[in-house]
Amino acid sequence: MTAELVRGQNHTLPQTRLEIRVSAGSPVVAGATLGDENGVVRGAEWIAHPGSPQLPGLEVSQQAAAGHRLAVDLEALPETVHRVTVLLALPVGVGGPTRFGTTAAPFVAVTGPDGTEIATFTLTGLDAESAVSALELYRRQGAWKVRAVGQGYAAGLAEMLADQGLAQAAELAASIQEAVARSLARSVAPPPPRTPEGDRVRHASGPPDQPTATAHPSAARPPTAHRPTATPAHPPTGTDPGTASAPTASAPGGPINYAHPSRQHAAPPTPPPTPPPAQPGQAAQPVAGDATGWSMDERLYNQIWGMFEDLARAAAAYRSAVDFADSRMDQELDRSLSDPRNRIGGAGDRAREEARAKRDELTARAREVLDRDLAQLAAEAAVVEPALPAAYAGWDNPVWHAHRVPMELPMALRLGDLHLPERTGLRIPLLVRLPLERGIWVDSGRTASEAAALIDSDRLRRLAMETAVLHAARLLAVYPPGEFSVHVIDPAGSAAGPLAPLVDAGVLAGPPAAGPQGVASVLAHLTRRVDLVQMAVRAGAADSLPPDLDTGEQLLVVNDFPHGFDDRAVTQLRYLADEGPPVGVHLLMVADREDAHAYGPVLDPLWRSLLRITPVADSHLADPWVGHAWTYEPPVTPPGSRVLEQVLAAVTAARRAAGR
């Protein structure tokens, strides 16, 4: 699997014969420097560049070009070499771009000789820099690794070479540029973007605005106003987004067939809205639905998950840059203070000040890039949120005041919001696909998070049940009339207050079940439904189902589990959690796991099968691709609002009109 690196991230190299492939939006100079164990370039003979393209174990291009292939044989390098740094620079004095901020972000891939990608790195966030250390191959404890660097230099190639300890860096930089100027006429054209059938589009039509910070191969996206389909690579909810097939030709040279393979009478996908033209030097204005899809709902769904990935990348790039700056400061301090004579006195103090100043500069530049990216995402969120349909919208969205129960099932449902500590005010809707593929567990325990520990136990249980009621109400509101039923188990009747909106509106399948008999009755009814539908599906005899069987989707809301449950009821509940979702029976549990500790590991599969959410903000949703812990914000209605009662009244009216 290809590793997509962010600044400061490293990856072990599985082999020693490699190719470094470079793609850029305009001709660039590609070279490499060799460094000793301290990273110092000992002389001009340790640099491979267009004027001297070959060194033992290393060969680079002899001209500036938009595409390069550097050959590296790590085993053939001199034993004193511990680091190979790949550098890129813009040619000077040839009428081309003078800074990387005006070109598409360079892309660097480390591959095997057969072209198999090992690691990739997109150099985003460059602005005034005209030279950059792209990545480095380094030896540690006998093994070679690659690290994404992305360190730019506004003063160009001379400053970059001087930073690596090379004497007479300015003279060598001038000679390299002179050699480039002589061969520039042979530069190749920029490579074309990859097609949707390939890996991804490498270059955006404009300066890059989003940093790359995810390791998933389908996650790369161009700037906000020019992004392709933004289907999420790895939502933290564990759901799989839908995809639309690429158009296919019916015959060589014939017309293109846009028919979707799993849909009948499908139309070509509607193109995303055209964003307003950007002013020179400014990013294009965001628009709602700026993603491809077969409907506006699908485009908004793709756009929201694209925003999620952009925020993940931006935060990961910033954190990696800070880690890299700290690591570099430590290395510089170790190198400067390795001589005992420099550990005390003015020399040591100056070394510490210079290292810290460089660290602060790198961190400040990373924060500047992050703030720019977050500002662009905030502007996009401000445009997207008001345009969301009811299924995706927050309860404070005006769309609910004119809501009508739809006749078709939407593709997704909003469960709350996600945010990261870099900007807590930037919220990304947490969407899950419909029909639900797994149950939901609203954790009412006080030990689950610090925020929950500060709340009284009774109030926390009430908040958890209110959260469950909001989810049930949203599901009722977005399903067609009569196609979704809600059952409630409240063994002790402790949730009468939070359940009042559902009970008063008459949208439940029956009164909330109380006591052991009520629990057993509801579980037996739903277990029978799962058994009958499973048998009918396996036998291919769906028409043979009993006429009194409700074939619509069913939601079972369970409060205060395991109170009121005997061993048989617990077994039935586990069965519904495992077998129910494929045949339309779903769980929404409000429970404190500590209350069920007497069952020990017997219930572990049950908890793992459910998506855990909380009634208060909590950082528990992990994103393993970039290592973030997303903070989940549960849904709430505006204070004093009667939007919940209005929506449930609309559900009741729609059912009555449909004769359900």
Side-chain angles (χ1 to χ4, degrees):
M1 178 181 295
T2 303
E4 282 199 20
L5 305 180
V6 298
R7 283 183 177 87
Q9 188 177 2
N10 58 49
H11 182 73
T12 301
L13 295 172
Q15 58 197 87
T16 56
R17 296 192 63 188
L18 307 166
E19 274 193 357
I20 311 296
R21 302 189 178 188
V22 179
S23 298
S26 63
V28 296
V29 180
T33 63
L34 305 180
D36 58 19
E37 57 186 1
N38 295 319
V40 176
V41 179
R42 296 184 177 180
E45 67 278 4
W46 276 34
I47 302 177
H49 55 83
S52 178
Q54 292 184 345
L55 294 177
L58 182 62
E59 183 174 359
V60 303
S61 174
Q62 301 185 47
Q63 60 187 19
H68 292 274
R69 291 189 179 186
L70 286 64
V72 181
D73 185 352
L74 298 175
E75 291 184 348
L77 295 174
E79 293 184 359
T80 53
V81 172
H82 290 258
R83 185 176 304 176
V84 179
T85 302
V86 177
L87 56 89
L88 305 177
L90 293 171
V92 299
V94 295
T98 58
R99 59 188 184 93
F100 278 109
T102 60
T103 68
F107 174 82
V108 184
V110 180
T111 75
D114 59 352
T116 302
E117 287 187 351
I118 300 171
T120 63
F121 177 41
T122 304
L123 286 78
T124 56
L126 299 176
D127 187 11
E129 298 87 347
S130 59
V132 59
S133 294
L135 52 80
E136 62 183 18
L137 315 177
Y138 64 98
R139 177 163 35 196
R140 176 161 297 174
Q141 297 179 349
W144 283 93
K145 296 183 178 183
V146 57
R147 176 187 289 125
V149 179
Q151 174 63 50
Y153 297 86
L157 191 57
E159 181 186 10
M160 179 168 56
L161 295 176
D163 190 49
Q164 297 188 32
L166 181 69
Q168 300 179 340
E171 292 80 354
L172 180 59
S175 66
I176 293 175
Q177 294 288 4
E178 182 181 353
V180 170
R182 291 196 300 265
S183 60
L184 190 60
R186 293 178 292 166
S187 297
V188 300
R194 300 191 181 186
T195 64
E197 291 78 5
D199 185 12
R200 57 188 173 276
V201 177
R202 296 294 191 193
H203 307 298
S205 55
D209 289 303
Q210 302 296 342
T212 300
T214 183
H216 195 280
S218 66
R221 300 167 63 238
T224 302
H226 304 284
R227 61 170 67 115
T229 301
T231 301
H234 186 79
T237 61
T239 61
D240 294 325
T243 56
S245 66
T248 57
S250 57
I256 295 177
N257 176 21
Y258 283 96
H260 194 283
S262 61
R263 307 185 188 190
Q264 295 181 356
H265 311 296
T270 307
T274 302
Q279 298 297 324
Q282 297 182 355
Q285 296 299 313
V287 295
D290 185 18
T292 57
W294 295 83
S295 65
M296 186 62 174
D297 285 3
E298 187 172 356
R299 294 201 301 270
L300 286 169
Y301 174 83
N302 288 334
Q303 185 175 14
I304 286 171
W305 278 117
M307 293 164 59
F308 166 83
E309 291 178 353
D310 281 348
L311 179 55
R313 285 194 200 91
Y318 170 71
R319 296 177 188 181
S320 296
V322 172
D323 291 342
F324 173 73
D326 291 338
S327 174
R328 177 170 177 167
M329 181 186 69
D330 293 340
Q331 293 177 4
E332 292 180 351
L333 287 175
D334 291 343
R335 186 164 57 244
S336 300
L337 303 179
S338 59
D339 188 346
R341 293 171 297 180
N342 294 334
R343 295 177 186 173
I344 58 176
D349 293 339
R350 284 193 300 272
R352 295 185 186 93
E353 292 176 359
E354 291 175 359
R356 293 190 181 107
K358 190 170 294 185
R359 187 272 312 272
D360 294 342
E361 179 186 0
L362 292 175
T363 303
R365 292 175 60 186
R367 185 70 209 192
E368 181 181 354
V369 172
L370 175 67
D371 290 341
R372 182 194 65 194
D373 295 335
L374 294 182
Q376 185 172 351
L377 280 171
E380 185 175 11
V383 172
V384 170
E385 187 70 36
L388 296 178
Y392 303 175
W395 286 106
D396 57 348
N397 194 309
V399 70
W400 286 110
H401 297 291
H403 175 67
R404 293 185 178 182
V405 178
M407 300 307 295
E408 294 184 358
L409 179 67
M411 69 179 299
L413 184 84
R414 185 172 185 160
L415 290 185
D417 294 331
L418 300 174
H419 66 79
L420 291 173
E422 279 73 13
R423 181 172 292 187
T424 57
L426 179 56
R427 310 291 176 87
I428 306 296
L430 172 60
L431 303 181
V432 295
R433 292 295 298 269
L434 291 179
L436 295 173
E437 298 177 356
R438 60 193 297 198
I440 300 173
W441 164 31
V442 184
D443 191 348
S444 60
R446 297 184 68 237
T447 60
S449 67
E450 294 182 3
L454 300 176
I455 301 177
D456 176 75
S457 178
D458 292 338
R459 172 168 169 72
L460 187 63
R461 292 177 186 272
R462 182 180 180 87
L463 288 175
M465 196 61 201
E466 290 175 351
T467 300
V469 168
L470 288 177
H471 290 315
R474 183 183 290 264
L475 284 164
L476 286 166
V478 302
Y479 265 82
E483 294 189 12
F484 193 85
S485 299
V486 177
H487 308 261
V488 175
I489 290 179
D490 185 19
S494 59
L499 287 172
L502 298 177
V503 175
D504 295 343
V507 294
L508 296 179
Q517 291 184 347
V519 172
S521 175
V522 171
L523 291 176
H525 170 72
L526 293 177
T527 301
R528 173 178 175 268
R529 183 195 179 281
V530 171
D531 290 339
L532 291 176
V533 174
Q534 280 186 339
M535 289 188 292
V537 171
R538 291 168 183 169
D543 295 338
S544 64
L545 289 170
D548 64 334
L549 187 72
D550 183 2
T551 57
E553 299 281 314
Q554 311 286 314
L555 177 70
L556 174 59
V557 181
V558 179
N559 182 44
D560 271 353
F561 174 81
H563 299 298
F565 282 73
D566 55 20
D567 290 344
R568 176 179 174 80
V570 169
T571 301
Q572 288 177 315
L573 192 69
R574 288 185 54 190
Y575 175 74
L576 293 179
D578 294 337
E579 304 295 335
V583 293
V585 176
H586 313 282
L587 287 185
L588 176 53
M589 290 182 54
V590 177
D592 180 359
R593 189 168 182 174
E594 291 298 319
D595 292 342
H597 72 277
Y599 288 93
V602 174
L603 290 181
D604 286 350
L606 173 64
W607 305 119
R608 287 196 298 265
S609 69
L610 304 175
L611 170 63
R612 175 180 173 263
I613 58 177
T614 54
V616 294
D618 184 40
S619 303
H620 69 275
L621 290 177
D623 186 349
W625 288 105
V626 290
H628 296 326
W630 292 83
T631 298
Y632 168 77
E633 291 276 356
V636 293
T637 56
S641 171
R642 295 189 55 83
V643 62
L644 178 60
E645 289 77 6
Q646 294 173 6
V647 169
L648 293 176
V651 172
T652 303
R655 287 184 173 182
R656 189 180 302 115
R660 302 297 179 93

